[in-house]
Amino acid sequence: MKTFEEQKNEIKKLHKKYEEYLIKEYGSRDYSVNLSDPNNFVNGIYYHQSNSQKNKNKILSKGFDKNKFQKSNCGVGVGLYLGRDKNALVNFYSKNLDNPQDFTIKIKGDFSFLNLLDDQNFLRENKNNLEEKVLSLGYDGIRYYDPDATGEEFVLFNYKKATFY
């Protein structure tokens, strides 16, 4: 498993790798506000941007319930979507991009993520049973890179290990 510093450097390299693509995709808009900044990462701390204050309060009081989500709303499976840069999550996942609203939940945990930064094949091959496959391999979720979102992202399937704040 890579150290925390090695993981941060991986993300910096991937941001650089996708720079041309992002410039074409965003045009004159500043895409960097949406990308996770490894300088903001804190080891063992993750964030989830919920859809509203009501959803945030529900998760904080009752925990995360994957049955409340439709598979069509979840790009790589139903799970708790996380990132390590709160600002990037707020900027990217807010409904009103001109007025981003912070509905983040701080999550602490020592999770074991299957690193899929460079393995899109695993995602495609296990699309229909991703959660089952990842958990059967002994991981709590996946870590992947999505240049069309915040860059580094996580999906936590074993969300019962999470502590919500």
Side-chain angles (χ1 to χ4, degrees), residues 30-44:
D30 182 9
Y31 64 83
S32 67
V33 298
N34 294 334
L35 283 181
S36 59
D37 180 351
N39 295 321
N40 294 336
F41 296 179
V42 176
N43 200 9

Side-chain angles (χ1 to χ4, degrees), residues 94-111:
S94 288
K95 288 180 183 177
N96 181 348
L97 300 178
D98 293 324
N99 184 25
Q101 293 189 305
D102 182 353
F103 300 122
T104 55
I105 297 169
K106 185 177 180 180
I107 297 163
K108 253 186 183 178
D110 183 22
F111 309 114

Side-chain angles (χ1 to χ4, degrees), residues 44-47 59-60 80 82 105-111 156 158-165:
I45 302 294
Y46 302 86
Y47 299 93
I59 292 171
L60 288 172
L80 186 59
L82 309 174
I105 297 169
K106 185 177 180 180
I107 297 163
K108 253 186 183 178
D110 183 22
F111 309 114
L156 183 64
N158 190 6
Y159 50 88
K160 293 182 179 170
K161 284 182 71 175
T163 304
F164 300 94
Y165 295 94

Side-chain angles (χ1 to χ4, degrees), residues 76 112-114 116 122-123 126 129-143 155-158:
V76 292
S112 175
F113 289 106
L114 177 60
L116 299 176
F122 185 91
L123 291 173
N126 296 286
N129 64 339
L130 186 63
E131 177 182 359
E132 180 183 322
K133 180 70 172 179
V134 169
L135 293 173
S136 75
L137 292 171
Y139 294 99
D140 298 313
I142 63 169
R143 174 182 182 226
V155 180
L156 183 64
F157 298 122
N158 190 6

Side-chain angles (χ1 to χ4, degrees), residues 138-153:
Y139 294 99
D140 298 313
I142 63 169
R143 174 182 182 226
Y144 67 104
Y145 191 86
D146 184 353
D148 292 315
T150 63
E152 179 191 51
E153 298 208 350

